[in-house]
Amino acid sequence: MTQNRIVNDFSITVGTANGSGSSTANTTLLRALFKMGLPVSGKNLFPSNIQGLPTWYTIRVSGDGFTARREEQEIVVAMNPGSFVQDLASVTPGGAFYYADDIKLPINRDDISLYPMPVKQLVRANAEIPSNLRDLVANMVYVGILAQMIGIDQSKIEMALKFHFKNKEKPVSLNMSMIRAGAEWAAENLPKTDPYTLEPLDKTDGLIMTDGNTAAALGAIYGGVQFAGWYPITPASSLAEALNEYLPQLRKSEDGKNTFAVIQAEDELAAIGMCVGAGWSGLRALTSTSGPGMSLMTEYAGLAYFAEVPVVIWDIQRMGPSTGLPTRTSQGDLSFVYNMGHGDIDSLILLPGSINECFEFGWRSFDIAERIQTPVYVLSDLDMGMNQWMTEPFTYPDQPMDRGKVLWEEDLEKLGANWGRYKDTDGDGIGHRTLPGNTHPLSAYFTRGTGHTPEARYSEEPDVWVANINRLKKKYETAKQYLPKPIVKTAEGAKFGIIAYGSTDPAVEEARLKLERDHGLKSDYLRLRAIPFTREVSDFITAHERIYIIDMNRDGQLHQLLSMKYPEHATRLVSIAYNDGLPPTARWVRTAILEKEEN
Amino acid sequence: MSQPLPMAGAPAQQVNSAGLSKNDYRGNPTTLCQGCGHNSISNQIIAACYEANVVPEKVIKFSGIGCSSKSPTYFLNRSFGFNSLHGRMPSLATGALFGDHRLKGLGISGDGDSASIGMGQFKHAMRRNVNMVYIIENNGVYGLTKGQFSATADKGLTLKKQGVNMYLPVDICMEALASRATFVARLFAGNAKQTKEVLKAALSHNGIAVLDIISPCVTFNNLESSYYSYSFGKEKEGPLHDISFHQASEGPQSTISYVPPKPEIKLEADMIDGEIREVALHDGSTIILKALEKDYDPTSRFEAMRVLEEAAANNWLVTGLVYVAPESPSLTDVHNLVETPLNRLTEKDLRPAPETIKTINDLMF
Ligand SMILES: Cc1ncc(C[n+]2csc(CCOP(=O)(O)OP(=O)(O)O)c2C)c(N)n1
Ligand code: SF4
Ligand SMILES: [Mg+2]
């Protein structure tokens, strides 16, 4: 009785208990759809807990290629009694509700299709499954049932499992047997009464699927990272762990020796301390953390700015101060990082807005840090960092490495006594540095957080201080030419502008399309990719009477920074800011803009 | 106030086997108080580096924050140096020494810097065996912030402005031993000869060498009764052993004799009173220990702790090489680095070849 079929445009949300092993099942679903040529995105909405609390995974399929999270969920799978009532209520009218039939709770909806699943029975009936593995494979039952009911190609599921289990035969066959059992049971026992169906497409050909932290680590490796110091924290840990995974594959010398070192430090104070030391001694150094770690890194970051030490700092943002909501996403650290340090400070901030940009900024950040001799912050977030995204394959760096102004023995031989570490000989504010190990008797200089002369000598002279701090400002200006430019998209007859950054991009792009399609509201869009703000940003602002600034935080931090920077245009800038810890939806962006437009 | 440090040892024009005169090891004039123990230590660093034929370009100086941490500008002007953050020298040194694994770190810290704010980093540098000499110029007070009690101040110490210290002191050597430092010594800045000899040995040690040097603060903590005063040190100092250091390959002309490298590192069993014992270091140089009071085996952590406990119980200032584990790989050793210093690697070594990008993309789903 499937009347009008709805093909390739819906969301599936699976509710399980944390630690029940559902993540394998859910990423397997996501990957199978991806291999069917269907544009998909998957968001893990998980609690800060190892076992027991409710957790959800939401997959969006969109033949049109939209990847932002949706608020509506047409198909809901309920495996957790603890969230059953909420899960049942969350199904959109006309949707489908699959649930483990051992959950004996009242069902009060008649506007959706109900599909009880005999999960426990099917697992027990499967002779191949040893009793100690039953709980682990139970989640594969819903994978099998969904495969049958919405049309997922089992061979693609097998591909996904092979990838997950690194081609180990045993776990793949165990899980597949459970998936087949689920599918066969559904074929015999579950007549389909909802309209949601999949049909293969060819829209993911040539794409890969990965997460932003892996991309960042790989980018850093292609950028020649030589030293990483880090301390575990969600959602940043997987970046350093990816370094540990891929560095040995990509960066051993011919005789099997290391061209790199990764150290898990005792805390973030030490992680950045090590990186500042390494950067100072001429290594491409990186640390990765999240908000609480950024707080601890602040004193060293300020010193690195003042002592002019290149270092790359990845902040994979999460919610709130302290622990906040540690497993939820946010853009809450922007203002903090903008001001990271005490006294006069300028931060160079990169804002990747896609997985490919995580890779690209992974290598480019080192070029910028070494060119400008300063910390470079890269702000990603939990959604981009930890979730799986489909993306274009990584492309090899299209520029040679820029190691900046470094003098070795032969350079000093030529310069003679004229060398001074902080002399602005090129007029761009950037001095020349020497590195420890340089054997030239003129090479050494003393680095300090105290006032210093162009020759790096201690000084408390007011004039010397001012000249130095102003030279640092000049470097900040120089930096602009090395930063990734914003991406500007214009539409003929646009009514307003939008400025956004980072992982909100898919939601913003979808909202723009729908505002135009459903409301005739065209917009221009500037996606910011770096701070300081460059010419392109001020041009964009002056070219529009109204610009909506999209922020995933409460106070509209980018809106605040832009208003400070361009006070004469502040009245044109309208903040659209919201953050509940979940990845943003196009509906939120669209509704917020519509409300403002109608007023 | 600034005054050049007086020169110990050889006349200025003489050169050592590195072809350098003592002047080449000098720094800027000190700005610390006259009579400050820290100045004596700087002076012995200059003498030790000269006598040990250290090439200044092969040393990186580090420090935290404090009067003590200011001193790296008073010696080795030809060495790179980094005056870092309060309590955070160890992490900076850890990272910096990866730049060129052939370099030796020479860190100067204070008791506030290492035993209070920096205790965590201090201890983790030990367990990683960072290749550096780590000197704590220990005066029992915060000199630079004008005389507050530090974590090593004696319980009951009474200072005019601060009142009575109510808490028990931290024993830096004990902490170093507990954290598995591979070379631990306690010294008294007033004992120049011993300080110099142990410094030379420390410079030869592969890995971390912790030197807890009692260094009186003449301005804020020089009461007769204080453990950290000159008078206490002079009266109560009980050296574990006479010590002299012999360099492996090239000895400077006059001051100390040359002892060829020895393959054997292990100490034989017991030492008897007055016996002379050599400890070989990784580069083949040796330290000669002369036991004074009792059998002392500096390769036993257990003995080291016992001796420290005993001294604390008796209010002795026990000085000398408390512990050494000569054959311990340093941090950069265990990281299996390429021969070329990392900071001299080029794009060719650091950026994987273009064809690898396909392999990587294939590894993604
Ligand atoms: C984060 C931070 N907190 C506090 C200070 C202030 N401060 C400077 S030196 C110092 C104490 C130094 O004592 P110690 O390490 O024993 O050195 P000394 O001056 O006694 O040689 C303090 C607390 C600082 N510089 N940084
Ligand atoms: S205050 Fe004390 S520690 Fe500081 S320089 Fe003077 S004597 Fe030395
Ligand atoms: Mg002190």
Side-chain angles (χ1 to χ4, degrees), chain A residues 474-492:
Chain A
K474 198 201 260 181
K475 284 206 315 187
Y476 194 58
E477 285 303 311
T478 301
K480 289 181 179 173
Q481 63 187 286
Y482 296 99
L483 299 176
K485 300 259 175 281
I487 307 258
V488 179
K489 293 188 179 170
T490 51
E492 190 69 35

Side-chain angles (χ1 to χ4, degrees), chain A residues 333-346:
Chain A
D333 294 347
L334 186 69
S335 317
F336 175 70
V337 173
Y338 187 84
N339 293 299
M340 196 155 149
H342 44 262
D344 289 309
I345 205 96
D346 306 296

